[in-house]
Amino acid sequence: MKKFHIKKGDTVYVNAGNDKGKTGRVLEMITDKDRAIVEGVNMVSKHTKPNPKHPQGGIIKQEAAIHVSNLQLVDPVKGGPTRIGRKFVDGKKIRYAKKSGEEIK
């Protein structure tokens, strides 16, 4: 299984691409393709037929996957993008922000 620096539910900063500078929450991780779906980032138009969820059908805006290399975690203390470190505390491996040293929940 691959290890990623971000997880579902993390707040991330987009550091490359058309949405550079935006932040959002990770909705889903696609581990086999090294991609993540981030709330409000990389929006695409999808044409849909009428169905129970969308009775009218038509064009729907939704998030598309973005590669994890274009994402950085947002520091919980300082608020900007930060790199991630891992260390053992009381026998458990935790993630921490390199910028502030704060543990990431």
Side-chain angles (χ1 to χ4, degrees):
M1 192 169 114
K2 294 180 183 179
K3 288 280 187 186
F4 293 103
H5 58 283
I6 59 173
K7 291 182 181 181
K8 181 179 174 180
D10 286 345
T11 302
V12 294
Y13 172 84
V14 180
N15 59 18
N18 291 340
D19 293 314
K20 182 177 181 174
K22 290 186 180 178
T23 58
R25 192 169 48 88
V26 176
L27 301 174
E28 183 183 346
M29 290 295 297
I30 305 168
T31 55
D32 56 325
K33 294 184 179 178
D34 299 344
R35 293 180 169 267
I37 295 177
V38 181
E39 191 173 44
V41 174
N42 199 18
M43 299 298 284
V44 295
S45 298
K46 183 177 178 183
H47 298 258
T48 60
K49 288 184 175 180
N51 59 38
K53 189 174 180 184
H54 303 286
Q56 285 294 95
I59 301 170
I60 297 167
K61 291 285 223 179
Q62 68 180 35
E63 294 94 353
I66 187 168
H67 200 270
V68 294
S69 66
N70 298 329
L71 301 173
Q72 278 188 295
L73 200 85
V74 172
D75 194 306
V77 176
K78 295 194 176 180
T82 182
R83 291 174 296 136
I84 298 300
R86 294 186 181 100
K87 62 183 174 183
F88 283 98
V89 175
D90 300 328
K92 287 188 174 182
K93 189 185 270 189
I94 63 161
R95 297 182 305 157
Y96 69 95
K98 293 257 186 160
K99 193 178 271 188
S100 66
E102 190 70 23
E103 180 181 339
I104 298 164
K105 302 288 181 203

